[in-house]
Amino acid sequence: MQLKDKVAVITGSASGIGKEIAFEFAKEGAKVCIADLALEAAQATADEINKGGGTAMAVAMNVTDETQVDAGIAQVVAQFGGVDVLISNAGIQIISPLVDFKFDDWKRLMAIHVDGAFLTTRAAMRAMIKVGRGGSIIYMGSVHSHEASPLKAPYVTAKHGLIGLAKVVAKEGAKDGIRANVICPGFVRTPLVDKQIPEQAKSLGISEADVIKNVMLKETVDGEFTTVQDVAQTAIFLAAFPSNALTGQSITVSHGWHMQ
Ligand code: NAD
């Protein structure tokens, strides 16, 4: 049990990568908070974890809403006694050529990825400092924190930005034992990716099979998707790491698509 009695808040954990992290963290002994826009799905995830012998609570949280974020973190502190790990994971994807990108879509994506990371970080750091036992903040970046792809201007911008935020949190958090790191996955088959396969096929004028083979997995060493399990194991490693020796870093899990 690498995370015994650690309290972990995971945003966007009613689905995909965040959900798998929640299950794996619970198996490692963490008390997990499923913080998501989709409250029903978050509650169902928490119920499933509790039924399986873990400890979980669900919180309705739109990460772009300052009041909801602060209230959600306060609820976790009241129920579980603090916050040891924040995984800022909630995210969406919107694809379009830059010249056609709607400003509202740009702002919506940036708000979820960047404002959401800031608001949840600020609330979690305040709680960590108050309780005084340090903590680990993990951002869900992407290979797109390092590489660019066409059609993804705000996503690539936001994911690069998270690396900057993690570096600042590493510097400001060190004196309180707070570490910050970024996980950068390659393509993972979640609802976020399943939605974009037909969209990319249409935008690029190629088949869905070609999107998978020649766009998404083209640069990997073995033509394979990264899995939710791969990402969850990396999150456990970062959350359990015992000191500030590992802070301000990004770890890429992408079948070699991006090599640092
Ligand atoms: P997903 O669509 O399966 O899950 C995203 C979750 O975020 C959903 O439960 C959704 O309700 C929640 N969410 C969306 N907006 C929210 C908001 N404003 N407030 C709170 N919750 C909100 O997606 P996923 O693939 O699991 O993606 C999770 C993270 O991983 C994202 O940040 C994404 O950019 C990143 N990522 C995904 C991949 C991939 O290939 N799937 C690769 C690299 C990085």
Side-chain angles (χ1 to χ4, degrees), residues 11-18 35-38 61-64 88-92 112-113 140-143 155 159 183-193:
T11 68
S13 49
S15 173
I17 291 172
D36 205 291
L37 198 56
M61 186 189 287
N62 179 345
V63 295
T64 69
S88 171
N89 166 79
I92 59 165
I112 295 171
H113 289 265
M140 199 51 65
S142 163
V143 163
Y155 189 84
K159 291 300 190 190
I183 302 177
C184 300
F187 280 100
V188 182
R189 283 307 284 264
T190 66
L192 180 141
V193 163

Short mmCIF file of all heavy atoms in Angstrom, two decimals, residues 11-18 35-38 61-64 88-92 112-113 140-143 155 159 183-193, ligand 1:
data_model
loop_
_atom_site.label_atom_id
_atom_site.label_comp_id
_atom_site.label_asym_id
_atom_site.label_seq_id
_atom_site.Cartn_x
_atom_site.Cartn_y
_atom_site.Cartn_z
N THR A 11 -9.40 15.60 -10.20
CA THR A 11 -10.45 16.27 -10.98
C THR A 11 -10.69 15.50 -12.28
O THR A 11 -9.80 14.83 -12.80
CB THR A 11 -10.09 17.74 -11.29
OG1 THR A 11 -8.98 17.75 -12.22
CG2 THR A 11 -9.73 18.51 -10.04
N GLY A 12 -11.92 15.57 -12.75
CA GLY A 12 -12.27 14.87 -13.99
C GLY A 12 -12.15 13.36 -13.85
O GLY A 12 -11.82 12.66 -14.80
N SER A 13 -12.46 12.86 -12.65
CA SER A 13 -12.22 11.42 -12.40
C SER A 13 -13.49 10.57 -12.48
O SER A 13 -13.52 9.45 -12.00
CB SER A 13 -11.54 11.23 -11.05
OG SER A 13 -12.20 11.93 -10.04
N ALA A 14 -14.53 11.14 -13.12
CA ALA A 14 -15.73 10.33 -13.36
C ALA A 14 -15.60 9.56 -14.67
O ALA A 14 -16.50 8.81 -15.06
CB ALA A 14 -16.96 11.23 -13.40
N SER A 15 -14.47 9.72 -15.38
CA SER A 15 -14.29 9.09 -16.69
C SER A 15 -12.81 8.88 -16.96
O SER A 15 -11.95 9.46 -16.29
CB SER A 15 -14.89 10.02 -17.77
OG SER A 15 -14.62 9.53 -19.08
N GLY A 16 -12.54 8.01 -17.92
CA GLY A 16 -11.21 7.91 -18.53
C GLY A 16 -10.02 7.75 -17.59
O GLY A 16 -10.02 6.94 -16.66
N ILE A 17 -9.00 8.54 -17.83
CA ILE A 17 -7.72 8.45 -17.12
C ILE A 17 -7.92 8.72 -15.62
O ILE A 17 -7.42 7.98 -14.76
CB ILE A 17 -6.71 9.46 -17.71
CG1 ILE A 17 -6.30 9.02 -19.12
CG2 ILE A 17 -5.48 9.60 -16.82
CD1 ILE A 17 -5.45 10.06 -19.89
N GLY A 18 -8.65 9.78 -15.30
CA GLY A 18 -8.86 10.14 -13.89
C GLY A 18 -9.56 9.04 -13.12
O GLY A 18 -9.22 8.76 -11.96
N ALA A 35 -13.77 14.42 -8.07
CA ALA A 35 -14.25 15.79 -8.29
C ALA A 35 -14.52 15.97 -9.78
O ALA A 35 -13.59 15.94 -10.58
CB ALA A 35 -13.20 16.80 -7.82
N ASP A 36 -15.77 16.15 -10.13
CA ASP A 36 -16.10 16.20 -11.56
C ASP A 36 -17.35 17.06 -11.77
O ASP A 36 -18.19 17.20 -10.89
CB ASP A 36 -16.35 14.78 -12.09
CG ASP A 36 -16.12 14.65 -13.58
OD1 ASP A 36 -16.92 15.22 -14.37
OD2 ASP A 36 -15.12 13.98 -13.98
N LEU A 37 -17.41 17.59 -12.97
CA LEU A 37 -18.58 18.32 -13.46
C LEU A 37 -19.79 17.39 -13.45
O LEU A 37 -20.90 17.80 -13.11
CB LEU A 37 -18.25 18.72 -14.91
CG LEU A 37 -19.00 19.80 -15.63
CD1 LEU A 37 -18.94 21.10 -14.87
CD2 LEU A 37 -18.36 19.98 -17.01
N ALA A 38 -19.57 16.15 -13.84
CA ALA A 38 -20.65 15.17 -13.96
C ALA A 38 -20.85 14.50 -12.60
O ALA A 38 -20.23 13.49 -12.29
CB ALA A 38 -20.26 14.15 -15.03
N MET A 61 -17.80 19.50 -8.98
CA MET A 61 -16.84 20.59 -9.15
C MET A 61 -16.61 20.92 -10.61
O MET A 61 -16.12 20.10 -11.38
CB MET A 61 -15.49 20.19 -8.51
CG MET A 61 -14.46 21.32 -8.52
SD MET A 61 -12.81 20.77 -8.02
CE MET A 61 -13.01 20.53 -6.27
N ASN A 62 -17.01 22.15 -10.97
CA ASN A 62 -16.58 22.68 -12.25
C ASN A 62 -15.26 23.38 -11.98
O ASN A 62 -15.22 24.38 -11.27
CB ASN A 62 -17.63 23.66 -12.78
CG ASN A 62 -17.22 24.26 -14.12
OD1 ASN A 62 -16.06 24.16 -14.52
ND2 ASN A 62 -18.16 24.87 -14.80
N VAL A 63 -14.18 22.87 -12.54
CA VAL A 63 -12.86 23.41 -12.18
C VAL A 63 -12.65 24.86 -12.61
O VAL A 63 -11.69 25.50 -12.18
CB VAL A 63 -11.69 22.53 -12.71
CG1 VAL A 63 -11.69 21.16 -12.07
CG2 VAL A 63 -11.70 22.45 -14.23
N THR A 64 -13.54 25.39 -13.44
CA THR A 64 -13.41 26.80 -13.86
C THR A 64 -14.14 27.74 -12.90
O THR A 64 -14.11 28.95 -13.10
CB THR A 64 -13.97 27.02 -15.28
OG1 THR A 64 -15.39 26.86 -15.25
CG2 THR A 64 -13.38 26.05 -16.28
N SER A 88 -4.64 17.32 -11.04
CA SER A 88 -5.39 18.26 -11.88
C SER A 88 -5.49 17.62 -13.26
O SER A 88 -4.56 17.68 -14.05
CB SER A 88 -4.65 19.59 -11.93
OG SER A 88 -5.25 20.42 -12.89
N ASN A 89 -6.63 16.98 -13.50
CA ASN A 89 -6.75 16.09 -14.66
C ASN A 89 -7.91 16.46 -15.59
O ASN A 89 -7.88 16.12 -16.77
CB ASN A 89 -6.93 14.66 -14.13
CG ASN A 89 -7.39 13.68 -15.18
OD1 ASN A 89 -6.60 13.21 -16.00
ND2 ASN A 89 -8.69 13.36 -15.19
N ALA A 90 -8.90 17.20 -15.09
CA ALA A 90 -10.08 17.48 -15.92
C ALA A 90 -9.65 18.14 -17.22
O ALA A 90 -8.79 19.03 -17.22
CB ALA A 90 -11.04 18.40 -15.16
N GLY A 91 -10.23 17.71 -18.31
CA GLY A 91 -9.85 18.31 -19.58
C GLY A 91 -10.81 17.95 -20.69
O GLY A 91 -11.60 17.02 -20.58
N ILE A 92 -10.74 18.75 -21.75
CA ILE A 92 -11.54 18.48 -22.95
C ILE A 92 -10.62 18.66 -24.16
O ILE A 92 -9.51 19.16 -24.04
CB ILE A 92 -12.75 19.45 -23.09
CG1 ILE A 92 -12.27 20.92 -23.16
CG2 ILE A 92 -13.74 19.26 -21.93
CD1 ILE A 92 -13.34 21.88 -23.64
N ILE A 112 -10.80 25.47 -18.80
CA ILE A 112 -10.80 24.17 -18.11
C ILE A 112 -9.38 23.73 -17.79
O ILE A 112 -9.08 23.32 -16.67
CB ILE A 112 -11.57 23.12 -18.95
CG1 ILE A 112 -13.04 23.51 -19.05
CG2 ILE A 112 -11.42 21.72 -18.33
CD1 ILE A 112 -13.87 22.69 -20.01
N HIS A 113 -8.49 23.82 -18.77
CA HIS A 113 -7.14 23.30 -18.55
C HIS A 113 -6.27 24.23 -17.69
O HIS A 113 -5.56 23.76 -16.80
CB HIS A 113 -6.43 23.06 -19.89
CG HIS A 113 -6.99 21.89 -20.65
ND1 HIS A 113 -6.45 20.63 -20.57
CD2 HIS A 113 -8.05 21.77 -21.47
CE1 HIS A 113 -7.14 19.79 -21.32
NE2 HIS A 113 -8.13 20.47 -21.89
N MET A 140 -2.13 16.69 -15.31
CA MET A 140 -2.22 15.82 -16.48
C MET A 140 -1.88 16.66 -17.70
O MET A 140 -2.72 17.39 -18.24
CB MET A 140 -3.63 15.21 -16.59
CG MET A 140 -3.68 13.97 -17.46
SD MET A 140 -2.43 12.73 -16.99
CE MET A 140 -2.99 12.27 -15.35
N GLY A 141 -0.62 16.58 -18.06
CA GLY A 141 -0.18 17.23 -19.29
C GLY A 141 -0.47 16.30 -20.46
O GLY A 141 -1.49 15.61 -20.49
N SER A 142 0.45 16.22 -21.39
CA SER A 142 0.25 15.41 -22.59
C SER A 142 1.58 15.44 -23.33
O SER A 142 2.43 16.31 -23.06
CB SER A 142 -0.84 16.07 -23.44
OG SER A 142 -0.81 15.58 -24.77
N VAL A 143 1.74 14.54 -24.28
CA VAL A 143 2.86 14.72 -25.21
C VAL A 143 2.77 16.14 -25.80
O VAL A 143 3.78 16.77 -26.11
CB VAL A 143 2.84 13.63 -26.31
CG1 VAL A 143 3.72 14.04 -27.49
CG2 VAL A 143 3.32 12.30 -25.75
N TYR A 155 -5.21 23.50 -27.08
CA TYR A 155 -4.81 22.34 -26.28
C TYR A 155 -3.29 22.30 -26.11
O TYR A 155 -2.76 22.13 -25.01
CB TYR A 155 -5.31 21.05 -26.97
CG TYR A 155 -5.17 19.78 -26.17
CD1 TYR A 155 -6.13 19.42 -25.22
CD2 TYR A 155 -4.09 18.91 -26.36
CE1 TYR A 155 -6.02 18.24 -24.49
CE2 TYR A 155 -3.97 17.74 -25.64
CZ TYR A 155 -4.94 17.40 -24.70
OH TYR A 155 -4.82 16.24 -23.98
N LYS A 159 -1.41 22.80 -22.60
CA LYS A 159 -0.59 21.70 -22.04
C LYS A 159 0.87 22.14 -21.87
O LYS A 159 1.53 21.70 -20.92
CB LYS A 159 -0.69 20.45 -22.93
CG LYS A 159 -2.08 19.77 -22.92
CD LYS A 159 -2.49 19.31 -21.54
CE LYS A 159 -3.73 18.42 -21.58
NZ LYS A 159 -4.27 18.16 -20.22
N ILE A 183 2.48 14.70 -15.75
CA ILE A 183 2.49 13.44 -16.52
C ILE A 183 2.08 13.77 -17.95
O ILE A 183 1.09 14.47 -18.17
CB ILE A 183 1.51 12.40 -15.93
CG1 ILE A 183 1.83 12.10 -14.47
CG2 ILE A 183 1.53 11.11 -16.77
CD1 ILE A 183 0.85 11.14 -13.81
N CYS A 184 2.85 13.26 -18.90
CA CYS A 184 2.58 13.58 -20.31
C CYS A 184 2.27 12.30 -21.10
O CYS A 184 3.17 11.68 -21.69
CB CYS A 184 3.80 14.28 -20.92
SG CYS A 184 4.21 15.82 -20.08
N PRO A 185 1.00 11.89 -21.12
CA PRO A 185 0.66 10.66 -21.84
C PRO A 185 0.58 10.88 -23.35
O PRO A 185 0.27 11.96 -23.83
CB PRO A 185 -0.73 10.30 -21.31
CG PRO A 185 -1.02 11.23 -20.17
CD PRO A 185 -0.16 12.44 -20.39
N GLY A 186 0.84 9.79 -24.08
CA GLY A 186 0.50 9.75 -25.51
C GLY A 186 -0.99 9.49 -25.62
O GLY A 186 -1.74 9.65 -24.65
N PHE A 187 -1.45 9.07 -26.80
CA PHE A 187 -2.89 8.84 -26.97
C PHE A 187 -3.36 7.64 -26.15
O PHE A 187 -2.74 6.58 -26.17
CB PHE A 187 -3.23 8.61 -28.45
CG PHE A 187 -3.31 9.89 -29.24
CD1 PHE A 187 -2.24 10.29 -30.03
CD2 PHE A 187 -4.43 10.69 -29.16
CE1 PHE A 187 -2.31 11.49 -30.74
CE2 PHE A 187 -4.51 11.89 -29.87
CZ PHE A 187 -3.44 12.28 -30.66
N VAL A 188 -4.47 7.86 -25.42
CA VAL A 188 -5.08 6.84 -24.58
C VAL A 188 -6.53 6.70 -25.04
O VAL A 188 -7.21 7.73 -25.22
CB VAL A 188 -5.06 7.29 -23.09
CG1 VAL A 188 -5.64 6.20 -22.20
CG2 VAL A 188 -3.64 7.66 -22.65
N ARG A 189 -7.02 5.48 -25.23
CA ARG A 189 -8.40 5.31 -25.71
C ARG A 189 -9.39 5.62 -24.59
O ARG A 189 -9.75 4.77 -23.79
CB ARG A 189 -8.64 3.87 -26.20
CG ARG A 189 -8.08 3.52 -27.56
CD ARG A 189 -8.46 4.44 -28.69
NE ARG A 189 -9.79 4.33 -29.24
CZ ARG A 189 -10.13 3.62 -30.30
NH1 ARG A 189 -9.27 2.88 -30.93
NH2 ARG A 189 -11.37 3.64 -30.75
N THR A 190 -9.83 6.85 -24.50
CA THR A 190 -10.86 7.29 -23.56
C THR A 190 -11.94 7.98 -24.39
O THR A 190 -11.74 8.22 -25.59
CB THR A 190 -10.28 8.31 -22.56
OG1 THR A 190 -9.93 9.48 -23.29
CG2 THR A 190 -9.06 7.78 -21.82
N PRO A 191 -13.06 8.37 -23.76
CA PRO A 191 -14.09 9.09 -24.52
C PRO A 191 -13.53 10.34 -25.22
O PRO A 191 -13.96 10.68 -26.32
CB PRO A 191 -15.12 9.47 -23.44
CG PRO A 191 -14.98 8.37 -22.42
CD PRO A 191 -13.53 8.01 -22.39
N LEU A 192 -12.53 11.00 -24.60
CA LEU A 192 -11.94 12.22 -25.20
C LEU A 192 -11.30 11.91 -26.56
O LEU A 192 -11.39 12.69 -27.50
CB LEU A 192 -10.92 12.81 -24.22
CG LEU A 192 -10.15 14.07 -24.58
CD1 LEU A 192 -10.00 14.97 -23.35
CD2 LEU A 192 -8.77 13.76 -25.13
N VAL A 193 -10.67 10.75 -26.66
CA VAL A 193 -9.99 10.37 -27.90
C VAL A 193 -10.98 9.74 -28.89
O VAL A 193 -10.94 10.02 -30.09
CB VAL A 193 -8.80 9.43 -27.59
CG1 VAL A 193 -8.33 8.69 -28.84
CG2 VAL A 193 -7.64 10.26 -27.03
P1 NAD B 1 -12.42 11.96 -20.51
O1 NAD B 1 -13.27 12.74 -21.44
O2 NAD B 1 -12.58 10.48 -20.45
O3 NAD B 1 -12.58 12.51 -19.03
C1 NAD B 1 -12.55 13.89 -18.75
C2 NAD B 1 -13.34 14.15 -17.47
O4 NAD B 1 -13.21 15.54 -17.17
C3 NAD B 1 -14.84 13.85 -17.60
O5 NAD B 1 -15.28 13.07 -16.49
C4 NAD B 1 -15.49 15.25 -17.59
O6 NAD B 1 -16.79 15.26 -16.98
C5 NAD B 1 -14.47 16.02 -16.76
N1 NAD B 1 -14.55 17.47 -16.97
C6 NAD B 1 -14.62 18.13 -18.16
N2 NAD B 1 -14.74 19.44 -17.93
C7 NAD B 1 -14.72 19.62 -16.59
C8 NAD B 1 -14.78 20.75 -15.73
N3 NAD B 1 -14.92 21.99 -16.23
N4 NAD B 1 -14.72 20.56 -14.40
C9 NAD B 1 -14.60 19.32 -13.88
N5 NAD B 1 -14.54 18.20 -14.63
C10 NAD B 1 -14.60 18.36 -15.97
O7 NAD B 1 -10.92 12.37 -20.89
P2 NAD B 1 -9.49 11.69 -20.58
O8 NAD B 1 -8.95 11.22 -21.88
O9 NAD B 1 -9.56 10.79 -19.43
O10 NAD B 1 -8.67 13.02 -20.22
C11 NAD B 1 -8.25 13.35 -18.91
C12 NAD B 1 -7.05 14.27 -19.00
O11 NAD B 1 -5.97 13.58 -19.66
C13 NAD B 1 -7.28 15.55 -19.80
O12 NAD B 1 -6.64 16.64 -19.18
C14 NAD B 1 -6.62 15.25 -21.13
O13 NAD B 1 -6.21 16.41 -21.80
C15 NAD B 1 -5.46 14.41 -20.68
N6 NAD B 1 -4.87 13.57 -21.72
C16 NAD B 1 -5.62 12.66 -22.36
C17 NAD B 1 -5.02 11.88 -23.35
C18 NAD B 1 -5.80 10.85 -24.12
O14 NAD B 1 -5.27 10.40 -25.14
N7 NAD B 1 -6.98 10.44 -23.69
C19 NAD B 1 -3.66 12.03 -23.63
C20 NAD B 1 -2.92 12.99 -22.94
C21 NAD B 1 -3.54 13.74 -21.97
#
